[in-house]
Amino acid sequence: MFYDYIVIGLYFILILAIGIIFSRMASKSTSDYFRGGGRMLWWMVGSSAFMAQFSAVTFTGAAGKAFTDGFAIVAVYIGNTFAFFCAWAFFAHRFRQMRVDTPTEAIKRRFGSQNELFFAWALIMFSFLNAGVWLNALGVFTSAVFDADISITIIAIGLTVLFVSVLSGAWGVVASDFVQTLVVAVVSVACAVVALVKVGGPVKMIENFPGGFLIGPNMNYPLILFGTFIFFLPKQIITMMNLHDSFRWLNAKDSFNARKAALLAMILMGVGSIIWFIPPWAAATLYPDAAADYLQLGNKAADAVYLVFARNAMPIGTVGLLMAGLFAATMSSMDSALNKNAGIFVRSIYQPFLAKRNRHKCDDKLLKISRLVSFVTGVGVITAALYFASLKELSLFELMMSVSTMVQVPMMVPLVVGVIVKKTPQWAPWATIVIGFFVSWFVMNVFTADVFASLFGIGLLTDREIIDLNIIMIVGGHVFITSSFFWATSIFYNEAKDKNKLETDRFFEDLESPFSADDQQDGVDSQQRNKLGNMVITMSVGILLMALIPNPLWGRFIFAMCALIIFGIGYLLKRSSKSKTYSR
């Protein structure tokens, strides 16, 4: 563990350094703090969009699901990949073309100021739940690694993430996301290669998986599994391609870079969907009793399977690198949430309602308030994570899916469909959410999976089938009922009473109008490449030093190769920063 502590310590120093280095770029204005002034290159935006959808749940709750159920977990991540494809085809460049600094400013343009205020408070409260799930997942895993109290672990990690987010805003968030993408890639690929070698190749891994690889155990009705995959596609579009999550693309320097960013995120998610889960799939054969080592985690014991694999199969120091990857995943998700909340509060709550007299005069004051809001939001996220840690009866995957399907989907339906359907009354968004919450409650408490099964003459369902069928029914309810309700409100639209009509018309015009960067962009491009190139090269040196850890030759070779690849990326960034012309 001595080397693991060193690796983690050096990683934190690197992330803190990124926050300090990019803090100057975030200190010019609130637009810089919230979205980097809309001047970021596609590879920064794409890696950040990818990391914002990637959290420690992937290495914990989702890995535990892969360990017990096999290939089924990939359905969620294929849904993510498909959503990023839709971003490339339709959403990403249009979101960049909204010409706003925060998601709720886009909501105001589309639905009016009353809906802006409603969604501002609702989305801030929801982020506490979502980021709390991410932080709890990291706390579970970290407490298992270091045999520490989970509450203390959550508080310590949360405060560290809070420091970076408050200090550097969107520039630090996105820059650290890019570096963290490389960390995640290094850990994932290295673990996947070793896992395949130890298990005897992909064919052996599939053949020897207990309970069947494609279907998994405790599944008497494979059609339920197929239904889960089908309904995950629209679910992920709803939860990722909406006006709230448009913040992923507001950072891009122009429309073209937004589309390229979406394409990069799609490729990373598509490849990662398989690579991430090879170690837990292999562990089901290599270490079938892995969960028994962490019974203190209750039903979350299987969520530590990645740790078991790293400790038993990987060279010394990998656990530290794995923990760095987990910190990277959760920090990227949590700091994005904190930065986004600061923008929502300042632009949609404080500025228009609490600072009417000075809202156009004191951007410096608003910048200070933004940092304060980030801090307060971080404390709220830590509190939510501590509450989730007390829910021992739920696995992390079930917890994540419960929050996502029951709360997030109904909230985001009007923010997706509203980009397509133009003529809706001002009450349509919040009325749709009320209907959506009723649908979630009705499926969970009245028309449950057991009731559905008995109605259609389906025999006794396993616990796994009940969970999956609940997901299908809730998502199906929102796709067919909640979405249809919002669409149907068009019947009640009265153009004469629409006070926001002119702004809504301009909003849809902007959606179709390409946005181009100004003539000052080249200097900002150079700074991005140069600063990140330096950080990436520094990280490659740190990983190269891991080759000195007393490991077998193959273990040293893995670290050396990873360092070489990362150094090459850093070198290319540094070299391109010195060029007088920059490719789009």
Side-chain angles (χ1 to χ4, degrees):
M1 288 297 292
F2 170 74
Y3 294 105
D4 296 322
Y5 283 119
I6 293 178
V7 171
I8 294 171
L10 291 175
Y11 168 77
F12 269 107
I13 292 173
L14 177 66
I15 294 301
L16 292 175
I18 291 176
I20 294 171
I21 289 172
F22 279 89
S23 62
R24 293 182 180 179
M25 298 183 72
S27 62
K28 298 177 182 178
S29 68
T30 51
S31 179
D32 288 323
Y33 189 78
F34 299 149
R35 66 179 189 110
R39 292 185 175 278
M40 296 183 185
L41 292 163
W42 63 271
W43 42 270
M44 286 185 69
V45 177
S47 59
S48 183
F50 162 73
M51 288 298 290
Q53 195 60 31
F54 184 91
S55 73
V57 173
T58 301
F59 283 121
T60 53
K65 187 77 170 175
F67 177 75
T68 57
D69 296 344
F71 189 76
I73 183 61
V74 175
V76 179
Y77 292 84
I78 290 178
N80 291 343
T81 306
F82 181 70
F84 281 130
F85 168 78
C86 293
W88 170 80
F90 182 84
F91 290 101
H93 57 291
R94 285 179 170 84
F95 285 152
R96 178 61 185 90
Q97 290 159 194
M98 294 188 301
R99 295 161 171 83
V100 295
D101 288 330
T102 68
T104 45
E105 288 179 314
I107 294 172
K108 178 182 179 180
R109 296 196 66 194
R110 170 60 184 89
F111 294 114
S113 57
Q114 291 182 339
N115 282 297
E116 176 194 22
L117 182 61
F118 169 78
F119 276 102
W121 285 113
L123 295 173
I124 287 174
M125 296 305 297
F126 169 73
S127 73
F128 289 153
L129 295 176
N130 220 19
V133 172
W134 298 326
L135 183 56
N136 174 58
L138 183 57
V140 168
F141 202 86
T142 307
S143 64
V145 172
F146 300 111
D147 194 24
D149 180 79
I150 188 171
S151 297
I152 296 176
T153 304
I154 287 173
I155 293 172
I157 297 170
L159 290 177
T160 303
V161 177
L162 185 58
F163 173 81
V164 176
S165 177
V166 171
L167 181 67
S168 54
W171 278 111
V173 168
V174 177
S176 63
D177 283 350
F178 178 76
V179 174
Q180 290 162 359
T181 298
L182 299 180
V183 175
V184 169
V186 165
V187 173
S188 302
V189 173
C191 288
V193 170
V194 173
L196 288 176
V197 171
K198 286 188 173 293
V199 82
V203 175
K204 289 289 185 180
M205 179 183 71
I206 294 172
E207 289 178 348
N208 296 332
F209 190 89
F213 180 72
L214 288 179
I215 305 300
N218 303 318
M219 183 62 70
N220 299 322
Y221 299 94
L223 187 60
I224 293 178
L225 186 61
F226 178 74
T228 304
F229 168 74
I230 294 299
F231 279 94
F232 265 131
L233 299 180
K235 174 194 170 295
Q236 296 308 96
I237 293 176
I238 292 172
T239 56
M240 294 170 60
M241 298 300 121
N242 55 73
L243 290 178
H244 173 240
D245 288 271
S246 64
F247 77 93
R248 306 168 191 267
W249 320 108
L250 298 181
N251 302 334
K253 74 174 186 177
D254 56 29
S255 303
F256 183 72
N257 272 257
R259 289 198 75 193
K260 288 180 69 175
L263 186 62
L264 174 62
M266 182 189 75
I267 294 172
L268 291 173
M269 187 64 68
V271 174
S273 297
I274 300 298
I275 291 177
W276 293 325
F277 300 118
I278 289 176
W281 287 334
T285 300
L286 299 172
Y287 315 109
D289 299 323
D293 294 336
Y294 297 96
L295 295 178
Q296 71 272 22
L297 298 178
N299 284 351
K300 299 181 176 73
D303 298 339
V305 65
Y306 232 110
L307 169 62
V308 173
F309 176 84
R311 280 182 167 171
N312 288 279
M314 298 298 292
I316 299 172
T318 305
V319 170
L321 200 58
L322 174 61
M323 290 309 304
L326 288 176
F327 285 124
T330 298
M331 287 175 68
S332 66
S333 302
M334 185 176 166
D335 57 19
S336 294
L338 301 189
N339 183 257
K340 177 176 58 181
N341 278 356
I344 290 174
F345 181 86
V346 169
R347 288 296 179 85
S348 298
I349 298 175
Y350 179 84
Q351 194 171 7
F353 296 100
L354 303 179
K356 291 183 178 180
R357 296 180 181 177
N358 299 318
R359 60 184 177 185
H360 299 299
K361 298 179 181 179
C362 46
D363 203 57
D364 290 342
K365 180 180 179 181
L366 293 177
L367 189 58
K368 294 177 182 178
I369 294 172
S370 300
R371 290 193 166 100
L372 176 61
V373 173
S374 289
F375 177 81
V376 174
T377 303
V379 173
V381 169
I382 293 171
T383 303
L386 292 173
Y387 170 73
F388 290 138
S390 66
L391 302 178
K392 295 289 187 180
E393 68 277 6
L394 284 178
S395 73
L396 288 173
F397 181 78
E398 292 172 27
L399 180 61
M400 178 187 71
M401 294 311 302
S402 296
V403 171
S404 180
T405 55
M406 295 180 63
V407 180
Q408 186 178 15
V409 174
M411 287 182 62
M412 301 308 164
V413 163
L415 301 186
V416 177
V417 185
V419 177
I420 302 170
V421 180
K422 298 181 181 180
K423 296 181 179 181
T424 55
Q426 288 201 347
W427 51 264
W430 61 262
T432 301
I433 293 176
V434 171
I435 295 296
F437 283 158
F438 175 77
V439 169
S440 294
W441 174 86
F442 187 78
V443 172
M444 290 301 296
N445 296 279
V446 180
F447 194 62
T448 62
D450 289 329
V451 173
F452 178 88
S454 62
L455 186 64
F456 289 92
I458 301 175
L460 188 65
L461 297 175
T462 65
D463 290 341
R464 179 187 173 193
E465 289 171 330
I466 290 175
I467 293 171
D468 288 352
L469 188 55
N470 275 332
I471 292 174
I472 293 173
M473 292 170 62
I474 293 175
V475 174
H478 293 313
V479 169
F480 294 111
I481 299 175
T482 310
S483 300
S484 296
F485 175 85
F486 179 83
W487 205 301
T489 61
S490 298
I491 299 172
F492 303 97
Y493 176 74
N494 188 329
E495 184 173 315
K497 294 182 179 181
D498 186 0
K499 298 178 181 179
N500 199 58
K501 183 180 184 305
L502 291 178
E503 185 59 31
T504 300
D505 290 342
R506 284 194 289 264
F507 171 77
F508 280 103
E509 289 175 6
D510 284 342
L511 281 184
E512 303 302 329
S513 303
F515 181 88
S516 300
D518 57 34
D519 54 6
Q520 299 178 358
Q521 182 65 43
D522 283 353
V524 181
D525 289 353
S526 178
Q527 288 187 64
Q528 294 175 65
R529 290 183 168 98
N530 184 54
K531 290 184 177 183
L532 272 176
N534 288 333
M535 301 309 299
V536 171
I537 290 174
T538 301
M539 187 175 75
S540 71
V541 173
I543 294 178
L544 181 62
L545 291 176
M546 294 180 68
L548 301 178
I549 297 175
N551 276 310
L553 184 60
W554 65 269
R556 296 172 186 258
F557 177 76
I558 287 177
F559 290 136
M561 286 302 299
C562 290
L564 182 62
I565 293 171
I566 292 177
F567 176 83
I569 295 173
Y571 172 76
L572 291 176
L573 288 174
K574 287 284 292 182
R575 183 178 178 181
S576 65
S577 71
K578 298 176 182 179
S579 176
K580 292 184 179 180
T581 58
Y582 303 95
S583 62
R584 296 185 70 187

